Amino acid sequence: MVPYFPECIQSADLSILEWIQTHLVTPFCDGLFSFITHFGDGGIFWILLAVGMLFFKKTRKTGLMIGAALILGLIFGNGILKNLFQRVRPYDLEDALVQTPLIEKPSDWSFPSGHTLASFEAATVLMIRDRRFGIPALVLAFLIAFSRLYLYVHFPSDVLAGALLGVLFGCLGVWIVNAIWKRVEKELKNRVM
């Protein structure tokens, strides 16, 4: 057990996972959450969304903001925090309720949840930029986050950290791109004059 997670957090995490496994698991939900979780695989869905937005002038800035947020998450969440904490996955514990999850076992560390991180980064940017897209993205982000618990591949504290960091990096992505965008616009305006 990695010492960064006190027993009280580990115990609360396992209690929540046990409750989900005992009360919510059904064949229908197995299929549903096994499908939904793949929207977060490698952040590909959100990356494709950001790249697609770059092709249209109206959404280009939003696409850049999502891209910036995803890069922050990749560096700090997946690159630094996962390797710093090196938290094992719930199914790898000796007394795990589920030893073989319904999906392929992830090969990286558990904390924070990368699926949740990427989903909340993109959803946060979309909520800030245009709620018509932000609300459905936020619903999808919550479903992806819950799928990670349902499938027994993350602890609740992994998912909570992923969501909080996702909101933070989403806001930072908006701020960074806005700052650069204003500077570039000012430079272009000065060149024209």
Side-chain angles (χ1 to χ4, degrees):
M1 192 76 50
V2 176
Y4 299 105
F5 291 90
E7 187 57 39
C8 61
I9 292 175
Q10 191 77 5
S11 178
D13 277 346
L14 290 171
S15 295
I16 293 167
L17 289 178
E18 185 177 318
W19 188 89
I20 291 169
Q21 291 298 310
T22 305
H23 295 92
L24 300 181
V25 171
T26 66
F28 172 77
C29 287
D30 288 354
L32 176 68
F33 289 116
S34 293
F35 173 74
I36 286 173
T37 205
H38 291 301
F39 281 97
D41 287 356
I44 297 298
F45 175 78
W46 305 111
I47 292 167
L48 292 175
L49 177 67
V51 170
M53 291 178 137
L54 297 177
F55 290 102
F56 304 96
K57 188 175 182 179
K58 188 176 179 180
T59 59
R60 188 167 295 140
K61 193 173 183 183
T62 304
L64 288 170
M65 290 171 173
I66 293 172
L70 290 170
I71 290 169
L72 289 170
L74 180 65
I75 293 168
F76 293 103
N78 288 1
I80 296 173
L81 292 176
K82 277 188 184 274
N83 292 307
L84 177 67
F85 285 93
Q86 296 185 2
R87 190 180 197 189
V88 298
R89 302 242 174 204
Y91 57 75
D92 281 332
L93 297 175
E94 266 182 43
D95 54 350
L97 281 177
V98 176
Q99 304 242 313
T100 308
L102 295 169
I103 58 169
E104 186 178 326
K105 289 183 175 184
S107 58
D108 58 351
W109 300 108
S110 190
F111 181 89
S113 167
H115 282 64
T116 305
L117 177 59
S119 300
F120 275 87
E121 288 165 343
T124 298
V125 171
L126 290 169
M127 280 297 288
I128 292 169
R129 299 288 293 163
D130 188 340
R131 287 184 165 214
R132 291 173 302 159
F133 300 111
I135 291 171
L138 196 57
V139 169
L140 181 58
F142 274 106
L143 289 171
I144 290 169
F146 181 75
S147 76
R148 308 307 285 170
L149 302 176
Y150 183 93
L151 296 169
Y152 214 77
V153 294
H154 277 292
F155 296 99
S157 55
D158 302 339
V159 168
L160 179 61
L164 293 174
L165 289 170
V167 171
L168 172 66
F169 294 150
C171 292
L172 282 173
V174 169
W175 181 79
I176 289 167
V177 171
N178 271 333
I180 294 170
W181 196 273
K182 284 179 187 172
R183 184 175 265 175
V184 169
E185 280 183 335
K186 187 177 179 182
E187 287 292 322
L188 290 174
K189 196 179 279 187
N190 288 340
R191 285 184 188 177
V192 171
M193 296 176 140

